[in-house]
Amino acid sequence: MILAHNLGFPRMGDKRELKWALENYWKGQLSQEELIKVGQDLQNLHWQRQKNAGLDLIPVGDFSWYDHVLDMSVLLGVIPPRFGHPGGGVDLDTYFRMARGRSVHGTEAAACEMTKWFNTNYHYIVPEFQDHQDFSISSNMLFEKVVAAQKLDVPVKPVILGPLSFLWLGKAKGEDFDKFSLLDKLLPVYGQVLERLKSQGVEWVQIDEPILVLDLPNDWKTGFEKAYAQLANSGLKILLATYFGALGDNTQLACRLPTEGLHIDLTSAPAQITKVLDELPAYKVLSVGIVDGRNIWRNDLEANLKTLEYIKERLGDRLWVAPSCSLLHSPADLGLEFKLDGELKSWLAFATQKTKEVATLKRALTEGKQTVAHDLQASTAAQQSRRQSTRTHQAKVRERVAGVNDKLTQRQSSYADRAKAQKEALNLPPYPTTTIGSFPQTANIRKARQEFKKNIISEAEYDMHMKEEIKKAIVEQEKYGLDVLVHGEAERNDMVEYFGEQLDGFAFTQYGWVQSYGSRCVKPPIIYGDIARPNPMTVDWIKYAQSLTSKWVKGMLTGPVTILQWSFVRDDQPRADTCLQIALAIRDEVVDLEKAGIKVIQIDEPAFREGLPLRKADWNEYLDWAVRCFQISAAGVEDSTQIHTHMCYSEFNDIIASIAAMDADVITIETSRSDGELLQAFATFNYPNEVGPGVYDIHSPNVPTSEQIVSLMRKAARYVPSERLWVNPDCGLKTRGWEEVEAALCTMVEAAKTLRT
Ligand code: GLN
Ligand code: ZN
């Protein structure tokens, strides 16, 4: 039978109810009972909604109090010893302690590490494996959810993360050992989990193995065969779910594993269907992920149907229809958006709408198109309006993009010549000191912004407030003795939203939240149309800051790749094309800043690395256009104008050539936590330009000592010649308090003075 199903629903609730409940619970303002009720109500609502949409199988276990990988860790009993868990069932507080730090005795215990879930902006809690790690079922959460769903007559399909992906995403701690060696011990416990589900009357279970879209070592591939041969005995029907990319060289492996079904992502990798159809055994169900689970565009149902009809011809009833991946990565419900205009709204679909799209497609396949004629027409009309709208296509932008050539990517002279010109123009001391851009976003600043938004204060009043903040930042920096100052970014709520709001082609939602980690959500802007910059965006603020001081003030911009990466991006043209449009807009801003007398300009690219494709073979294509876009944004200025960029992470080894190709005069990076080690990459590659290794860990309330900073910088000088070194924090100071900032920056300046002598 052709079925419609879903891989996962967003957890937070339409208005982030889970977020508020969690945070109140952590503050002690909500009892555990009340928290659990909020969670249960949300799950019920989401199940009901998916059922009403017409789904035949509904995920259970996709809901999580914090993170679904953490759920697996507690289900399987993977609790790091520092949390003091006495063994047995893991309670909710232990679960939260793992995510947020603190042991059962109330003492500090480092929180488990958190890292990005594949190429999404969701962060999961990294499982930690000890050398002699044992596994045992240590939580009933999953089984209780199954009971709750069954009570409501929900057609239950439990979702768990598969054993190979679970191990892959974890980390071996302590003794150096290969985490893969734990597979043998892990499998029996997975077997027990399936047995329990079976005894609960479950028919289908979804086992996610997203690592099947990655480049896998051979032993891991063999591990898949072994694992699923063993799990095949459970008596449950297993739907093996893959997403975020093509199975590629793992196609045969995935198709031949002894599971009753396979889910593939046809949104991110439409071309893989041919190969999968050729390899799929005749007994197996293919779940086709055709509604994009990671974006917000309404599907072109007629086009989808063409694809599905073709697959149906090959598979008949063995076809299921689904979103490409869990809807965790899309906002909950478009119905709540009252500020978007009707036209734009008609182009969009959030999670709730996407489940309906899936059900509509299934109905068209099983009962005929005429039964859903209305939905199909509405979908087609939306596609048409989007294609023809003048809002998506601006002739001027198109013309300009067509005229882009290599010349636009190059500065006038090589770095060596520019460095000379900049030295003369800027007259900075050796080991110049600077910061990354933001200063503390105080309660005062947030209050002014709120009041401005609510029309309590006028724009002029708001601007006055912001100018006062900028003045304060300048006065403080002069007091500390920094060499290159910043304006402090008080006027920016968010480094992407701030620019998006001033660019054509961007839209903003009221409730378009997506979980980032735990209770934290982000609300990415929507890039729906051609991007143009009608007016300068930052020039007045920076000019004002510069007017207050005789030191150089650094202009502060967000780079094109980061703006792209942290938005929902239009899907009617390649991402590279959209990025190029942003790059041209930023280029204009850079040139305008220069014209206004600003001689140092920073173009932040903290999201540059996260755009890397999952497969190494695809890296170059991405890096080529990403580097080119950055270059285009930066290259419009004179030699004597100094371009900085900033990236706040510490993995550069594998992309250092591209970082160098960006050709920023100065790059500031996060290093304080890696003890300067990562500079090795810069040394080995012989990185040619200037580097500012972060010497102040802004994620910690600790203030470094001058000795620590001097020692870090001396270490850095072993890798990068001291004439090319800057002294700066790891990242922006937005989340810190003024007191710590003052102490840390004064120490930094003192350390720079020591270094100079
Ligand atoms: N200029 C930004 C700031 O200082 C950079 C933020 C970031 O790297 N994420 O806040
Ligand atoms: Zn940063």
Side-chain angles (χ1 to χ4, degrees), residues 5 7 239-243 261-265 287-289 322-325:
H5 77 119
L7 273 64
L239 175 73
L240 184 75
T242 68
Y243 36 80
L262 173 68
H263 172 87
I264 57 168
D265 179 344
S287 162
V288 174
S324 59
C325 59

Side-chain angles (χ1 to χ4, degrees), residues 436-438 489 495 556 566 602 604 606 646 648 731-734:
I436 306 305
S438 56
E489 301 181 25
M495 64 187 289
M556 199 56 58
W566 289 349
Q602 178 171 312
D604 287 326
H646 164 70
C648 39
C731 190
L733 303 166
K734 187 172 173 163

Side-chain angles (χ1 to χ4, degrees), residues 450-463:
Q450 282 308 319
E451 289 181 344
F452 175 46
K453 262 192 182 163
K454 290 183 187 151
N455 284 323
I456 300 171
I457 59 173
S458 68
E459 184 164 354
E461 280 171 297
Y462 175 72
D463 284 1

Side-chain angles (χ1 to χ4, degrees), residues 348-362:
L348 306 178
F350 293 177
T352 302
Q353 289 68 38
K354 285 171 192 289
T355 55
K356 287 186 195 145
E357 290 183 327
V358 168
T360 303
L361 288 168
K362 176 225 155 177

Side-chain angles (χ1 to χ4, degrees), residues 409-423 635 637-643 660-666 688-690 724:
T409 65
Q410 289 150 14
R411 296 284 297 267
Q412 290 169 6
S413 311
S414 69
Y415 165 74
D417 291 335
R418 298 194 314 257
K420 272 185 225 134
Q422 287 162 23
K423 206 170 190 136
V637 291
E638 299 294 324
D639 284 351
S640 62
T641 297
Q642 189 171 61
I643 299 288
M662 290 165 75
D663 200 22
D665 297 302
V666 182
N689 304 5
E690 289 158 57
R724 286 199 265 121

Side-chain angles (χ1 to χ4, degrees), residues 1 42 109 147 160 192-193 242 257 292 299 317 323 351 446 464 473 534 536 557 620 632 669 695 698 736:
M1 229 177 32
L42 281 173
V147 172
I160 56 175
Q192 289 161 21
V193 170
T242 68
L257 292 175
D292 193 346
N299 258 45
D317 276 0
R446 285 196 301 265
M464 273 249 304
L557 303 171
N620 277 343
I632 288 173
I669 51 178
V695 291
I698 61 92
R736 303 258 58 99

Side-chain angles (χ1 to χ4, degrees), residues 332-509:
D333 186 8
L334 182 65
L336 298 171
E337 300 297 332
F338 293 109
K339 291 197 178 160
L340 293 174
D341 63 272
E343 183 186 31
L344 182 55
K345 205 168 155 182
S346 78
W347 301 344
L348 306 178
F350 293 177
T352 302
Q353 289 68 38
K354 285 171 192 289
T355 55
K356 287 186 195 145
E357 290 183 327
V358 168
T360 303
L361 288 168
K362 176 225 155 177
R363 248 185 106 186
L365 290 171
T366 52
E367 296 168 38
K369 272 165 93 165
Q370 69 289 352
T371 58
V372 288
H374 176 77
D375 294 328
L376 295 184
Q377 271 157 21
S379 159
T380 303
Q383 301 308 320
Q384 248 164 27
S385 111
R386 205 177 145 200
R387 262 195 303 274
Q388 292 162 358
S389 169
T390 49
R391 299 166 73 187
T392 55
H393 288 71
Q394 286 195 35
K396 261 202 187 140
V397 176
R398 301 269 149 177
E399 244 165 64
R400 187 163 179 214
V401 164
V404 167
N405 56 31
D406 284 350
K407 242 189 98 194
L408 281 193
T409 65
Q410 289 150 14
R411 296 284 297 267
Q412 290 169 6
S413 311
S414 69
Y415 165 74
D417 291 335
R418 298 194 314 257
K420 272 185 225 134
Q422 287 162 23
K423 206 170 190 136
E424 229 163 80
L426 300 175
N427 197 19
L428 295 170
Y431 289 103
T433 52
T434 191
T435 62
I436 306 305
S438 56
F439 272 97
Q441 283 265 337
T442 57
N444 251 341
I445 299 179
R446 285 196 301 265
K447 187 170 149 248
R449 190 150 32 244
Q450 282 308 319
E451 289 181 344
F452 175 46
K453 262 192 182 163
K454 290 183 187 151
N455 284 323
I456 300 171
I457 59 173
S458 68
E459 184 164 354
E461 280 171 297
Y462 175 72
D463 284 1
M464 273 249 304
H465 268 294
M466 294 302 123
K467 281 191 167 168
E468 271 163 35
E469 295 292 338
I470 290 171
K471 194 177 211 164
K472 176 181 161 105
I474 296 289
V475 169
E476 289 294 313
Q477 293 173 85
E478 287 198 315
K479 192 171 86 192
Y480 310 157
L482 290 160
D483 300 307
V484 173
L485 314 191
V486 296
H487 78 300
E489 301 181 25
E491 81 290 7
R492 302 185 190 174
N493 36 355
D494 174 278
M495 64 187 289
V496 171
E497 194 173 23
Y498 180 77
F499 290 94
E501 277 172 347
Q502 303 186 67
L503 292 167
D504 289 349
F506 281 78
F508 295 85
T509 61

